[in-house]
Amino acid sequence: NGESYEYDLVVIGGGSGGLACAKEAVQFGAKVAVLDFVKPTPLGTKWGLGGTCVNVGCIPKKLMHQASLLGEAIHDSQAYGWEIEKPENVKINWTKLTESVQNHIKSVNWVTRVDLRDKKVEYINGLGYFKDPHNVHVVLKNKTERTLNTKYVVIACGGRPNYPDIPGAVEFGITSDDIFSLEREPGKTLVVGAGYIGLECAGFLKGIGYDVSVLVRSIILRGFDQQMAELVKASMAEKGVEFQVGAKPLSVEKQDNGKLLVKWAFNDNPSDVKQDVVDTILFAIGRHALVEDMQLDRAGIKVINGKIDVDVNSKTNVDNIYAVGDVLYKKPELTPVAINAGRIIARHLFNNSKEVMDYEDVATTVFSPLEYGSVGLSEENAISRHGEDNIEVYHAYYKPTEFFVPQRSVRYCYLKAVALREGDQKILGMHFLGPAAGEIIQGFAAALKSGITMKILKNTVGIHPTVAEEFTRLLITKRSGVDPTPAT
Ligand code: FAD
Ligand code: NA7
């Protein structure tokens, strides 16, 4: 309508989705500001620009996972001839680990700031909220305030972890927001929640040497293939993680000696109360989107179950307002998803692009000590969509060559491909439990998106000796009842 605005685009949230969108938008000449503000956790932890993934998510998580894998490698190395004078003295230095992780994060924060400056994206370290659809008010870190008048807004506020409503949870508990910079050693830890964040934290803490238990309210890894989820659990239990299944926390009290007394009850018998004394209780019971501070009602934006719904172009119910990332209703909460969608919004708004974000068959990996990577449908979803008679599942246990020498357990090294039964057997889902699962599934994700069939997979020559080649050797169907365990 020819109206002119101070900005072409204001992005609320400088995380994976928001930064990707802002940086793409300036390529097309748009005038863009990004607001980012982090409220400290109840423990006081705070961090810089870049959002969840860089500061308290994917990146520190992967580094701690690596620390845990290295511990295993040090142990294995002795079987390969490495001489370690006093193996019993090999242990993690938590302070050194967190310092190294935090130093890397700070360098990423810095590079991000420089990158925004170079690209001429205006970064504003302040909390934004709507005055109306075209005016975003910002309270800056130094308490000064401004209103930004803008043509378009992208909401990319992400989310933060939940605490349960039980005595002592907020006062004495921590979440993934605190663990990667915790100033003291976590020590004996109780993890509450068995989603991927809970399992990953439990996995690396056990791997670097702490006693870890997990309280599982119902099932492991809701939303993931449940056969694989049970194998992940079993592989972690084999490494010494304890699982309390069907348990929900009741209270956390701090004892005089500084340790935490945690009580929990079992769903099927609420009077069966158990307790343990731990150094740390970590809640990983899900996350909420940061919608409450944004005064969305002033812009007329609808909220569904605390999230924002968008159309195929990532547009909210308000014409000039778009949303991306973890704030979205029923979309995968993953960094590359937020990044891809953020870039597509910018191209749509400022380069007339007709491209739409494809949320189907997004691959992911649970970085449990033995990693679980998957793409496409779980076996149960394939069956419920197509019917059991129309699905063929190929599966195998396998033995990674490098596991033999140190006699590492191969019990849970397992993979499967879920395919349609007819014709060339189009593959609907691929699941891999084993070393480097993320690296392996990434390539197969491209194959699956290209329509790979079992016929093609069987015609693919493997790379020997790798664990990825196991996908090219899948011959046994579940239906056949043949034992999928290899002879050698
Ligand atoms: P975020 O990255 O969360 O960024 C939002 C930013 O906006 C934050 O800095 C927030 O403080 C700020 N903000 C919010 N409201 C306002 C406001 N009103 N004004 C100003 N600023 C505001 N994904 C993967 O793909 N792989 C992984 O391995 C992986 N591991 C993870 C591990 C953990 C422990 C966690 C917690 C998450 C992990 N994720 C992983 C998920 C990934 O981090 C998120 O999907 C991703 O960061 C979402 O990006 P986003 O842009 O939606 O929001
Ligand atoms: P998830 O994947 O939502 O998992 C949360 C886990 O915590 C899950 O096992 C839940 O059990 C459990 N949970 C939820 N509420 C409670 C309470 N009150 N007490 C005990 N246990 C509970 O969340 P994550 O923290 O792993 O975060 C991952 C997010 O990123 C998630 O939203 C994904 O979509 C991506 P349940 O199965 O519900 O019985």
Side-chain angles (χ1 to χ4, degrees):
N1 58 8
E3 223 175 309
S4 69
Y5 299 92
E6 187 188 356
Y7 290 91
D8 296 310
L9 172 65
V10 168
V11 178
I12 306 180
S16 311
L19 291 175
C21 180
K23 289 193 273 186
E24 189 80 358
V26 289
Q27 310 284 327
F28 307 113
K31 185 176 177 203
V32 183
V34 175
L35 318 181
D36 192 56
F37 188 81
V38 179
K39 287 192 180 171
T41 69
L43 190 71
T45 312
K46 48 186 197 296
W47 52 90
L49 175 63
T52 303
C53 172
V54 168
N55 294 285
V56 287
C58 332
I59 300 300
K61 176 277 294 293
K62 185 75 189 294
L63 297 177
M64 292 217 171
H65 174 60
Q66 174 68 3
S68 144
L69 295 184
L70 285 173
E72 239 177 335
I74 292 171
H75 184 262
D76 285 3
S77 69
Q78 295 168 84
Y80 282 98
W82 288 97
E83 290 176 359
I84 298 174
E85 215 157 90
K86 288 195 176 139
E88 65 280 9
N89 284 356
V90 172
K91 61 175 175 36
I92 197 87
N93 178 330
W94 176 260
T95 307
K96 171 77 186 160
L97 171 63
T98 48
E99 267 174 25
S100 302
V101 169
Q102 293 304 318
N103 284 342
H104 174 65
I105 291 171
K106 291 203 174 74
S107 76
V108 177
N109 296 149
W110 172 250
V111 169
T112 307
R113 280 183 87 134
V114 172
D115 191 31
L116 291 185
R117 203 163 52 209
D118 289 350
K119 294 198 161 80
K120 304 209 165 27
V121 174
E122 185 180 345
Y123 161 52
I124 301 174
N125 186 195
L127 188 72
Y129 61 86
F130 284 97
K131 280 184 134 175
D132 60 54
H134 288 284
N135 287 292
V136 176
H137 195 71
V138 200
V139 181
L140 282 99
K141 207 177 161 198
N142 62 13
K143 302 280 181 257
T144 57
E145 305 196 7
R146 301 173 48 181
T147 299
L148 311 178
N149 174 257
T150 179
K151 185 166 185 192
Y152 296 111
V153 181
V154 168
I155 299 173
C157 59
R160 293 288 288 265
N162 297 336
Y163 288 82
D165 188 13
I166 59 165
V170 177
E171 207 176 343
F172 306 122
I174 64 165
T175 67
S176 55
D177 280 357
D178 302 299
I179 187 71
F180 305 112
S181 59
L182 199 65
E183 280 176 6
R184 54 169 182 86
E185 272 198 294
K188 181 176 171 184
T189 302
L190 181 72
V191 174
V192 182
Y196 86 86
I197 295 174
L199 293 191
E200 288 180 343
C201 291
F204 70 67
L205 288 172
K206 181 69 207 176
I208 59 181
Y210 303 111
D211 272 350
V212 181
S213 308
V214 180
L215 287 196
V216 185
R217 180 169 72 173
S218 56
I219 58 168
I220 305 281
L221 291 175
R222 182 179 298 285
F224 288 85
D225 185 286
Q226 281 300 298
Q227 183 200 4
M228 301 304 292
E230 280 301 319
L231 290 171
V232 169
K233 176 183 165 225
S235 74
M236 290 177 65
E238 190 187 47
K239 290 189 192 303
V241 176
E242 263 189 52
F243 288 88
Q244 300 281 336
V245 179
K248 58 170 194 234
L250 293 177
S251 63
V252 189
E253 290 161 54
K254 194 162 200 162
Q255 298 184 323
D256 292 342
N257 61 4
K259 291 188 186 285
L260 303 175
L261 174 68
V262 186
K263 294 184 181 158
W264 63 87
F266 291 89
N267 297 332
D268 53 359
N269 182 7
S271 58
D272 180 8
V273 174
K274 275 201 177 172
Q275 64 179 52
D276 199 1
V277 175
V278 298
D279 299 298
T280 299
I281 180 162
L282 187 149
F283 295 107
I285 62 166
R287 299 170 60 81
H288 61 277
L290 288 176
V291 291
E292 69 271 24
D293 289 326
M294 269 185 302
Q295 315 241 14
L296 295 176
D297 48 328
R298 293 202 196 174
I301 301 164
K302 282 195 209 132
V303 174
I304 311 174
N305 291 341
K307 298 230 163 177
I308 297 176
D309 203 9
V310 288
D311 68 11
V312 289
N313 291 315
S314 303
K315 191 166 78 177
T316 68
N317 63 300
V318 180
D319 256 355
N320 69 312
I321 303 177
Y322 291 69
V324 74
D326 284 7
V327 69
L328 296 183
Y329 180 63
K330 288 196 172 164
K331 295 287 191 298
E333 295 178 16
L334 294 166
T335 273
V337 170
I339 291 175
N340 278 19
R343 288 189 183 141
I344 290 171
I345 292 175
R347 296 198 281 263
H348 171 71
L349 293 180
F350 303 110
N351 200 33
N352 290 318
S353 166
K354 298 273 176 284
E355 200 184 342
V356 295
M357 175 65 195
D358 181 2
Y359 287 98
E360 287 298 304
D361 296 331
V362 173
T364 187
T365 290
V366 180
F367 292 92
S368 36
L370 198 62
E371 298 173 10
Y372 164 39
S374 74
V375 59
L377 297 184
S378 63
E379 185 173 340
E380 46 273 59
N381 281 353
I383 288 172
S384 77
R385 254 190 227 183
H386 299 277
E388 194 153 15
D389 288 347
N390 300 315
I391 292 293
E392 200 74 274
V393 178
Y394 289 83
H395 67 156
Y397 284 94
Y398 65 95
K399 298 179 176 174
T401 309
E402 56 276 29
F403 278 28
F404 280 98
V405 171
Q407 292 183 6
R408 240 207 247 183
S409 167
V410 295
R411 192 176 304 162
Y412 303 107
C413 292
Y414 176 82
L415 77 164
K416 67 179 175 182
V418 179
L420 287 175
R421 204 170 165 194
E422 40 139 61
D424 289 347
Q425 303 190 310
K426 185 177 192 315
I427 299 179
L428 307 172
M430 299 178 90
H431 303 268
F432 184 90
L433 183 55
E439 310 298 337
I440 290 158
I441 284 295
Q442 182 67 86
F444 284 109
L448 191 131
K449 282 202 90 83
S450 313
I452 190 171
T453 60
M454 280 309 294
K455 189 175 173 204
I456 296 171
L457 194 59
K458 287 175 189 165
N459 277 339
T460 305
V461 177
I463 303 171
H464 192 65
T466 65
V467 288
E469 73 175 320
E470 300 296 340
F471 269 121
T472 67
R473 310 204 303 197
L474 281 175
L475 296 169
I476 298 170
T477 63
K478 271 199 176 174
R479 198 184 306 277
S480 72
V482 173
D483 182 0
T485 317
T488 54

